[in-house]
Amino acid sequence: MKAQKWNPKTREYYDYDLPEGACLYSDDMDKIVACARCGRKMFFGDGYTSREIHAEHGLGYTVCERCHEKEWREEQEND
C-alpha cells in the first residue's frame, strides 16, 4: 500500500515505505501490527493515529506511543 510522510520542516509530503505489518485500520483491537514509523510490534488497540504517515486519501497509519510523541515534538519544534 502506498503511503506518504509529512515533513513538518518543508511542509510537504514525500513517498514513504511502510514497515511490513503496518496497519491503517482494523476492527480487531488485539491484532498484532507494526508501528508505521519504527516497525515495533504492538496491539492495534494500543496504537495512535500518526500525525505524519498517511495513506493517499489522508488517513493516518497506526504508530506506537513513543513515535507518536516524537511526531508531536517535531511538529511543535517546526511551528
Side-chain angles (χ1 to χ4, degrees), residues 30-49:
D30 292 327
K31 179 179 179 180
I32 301 293
V33 300
C35 171
R37 186 168 169 151
C38 72
R40 179 180 303 139
K41 300 295 183 199
M42 63 181 171
F43 291 113
F44 180 81
D46 289 340
Y48 295 80
T49 301

Side-chain angles (χ1 to χ4, degrees), residues 24 32 34 44 53-54 60 76:
L24 187 62
I32 301 293
F44 180 81
I53 304 169
H54 304 136
Q76 297 305 308

Side-chain angles (χ1 to χ4, degrees), residues 2 5 8-9 14 17-18 22 39 44 59 62 72-73 78:
K2 186 175 179 181
K5 187 170 183 186
K9 287 183 182 180
Y14 61 90
D17 292 325
L18 291 166
F44 180 81
L59 294 177
T62 303
W72 180 258
R73 281 193 306 273
N78 291 291

Side-chain angles (χ1 to χ4, degrees), residues 1-78:
M1 193 172 253
K2 186 175 179 181
Q4 299 174 323
K5 187 170 183 186
W6 177 252
N7 183 322
K9 287 183 182 180
T10 64
R11 298 189 182 272
E12 295 180 342
Y13 278 104
Y14 61 90
D15 289 341
Y16 182 76
D17 292 325
L18 291 166
E20 187 174 333
C23 186
L24 187 62
Y25 175 79
S26 177
D27 287 330
D28 181 0
M29 296 295 120
D30 292 327
K31 179 179 179 180
I32 301 293
V33 300
C35 171
R37 186 168 169 151
C38 72
R40 179 180 303 139
K41 300 295 183 199
M42 63 181 171
F43 291 113
F44 180 81
D46 289 340
Y48 295 80
T49 301
S50 176
R51 302 176 69 81
E52 297 178 355
I53 304 169
H54 304 136
E56 289 181 281
H57 47 23
L59 294 177
Y61 280 87
T62 303
V63 293
C64 67
E65 182 175 13
R66 187 181 332 173
C67 287
H68 191 261
E69 289 174 2
K70 286 179 186 177
E71 290 178 347
W72 180 258
R73 281 193 306 273
E74 290 169 1
E75 186 177 314
Q76 297 305 308
E77 291 168 1
N78 291 291

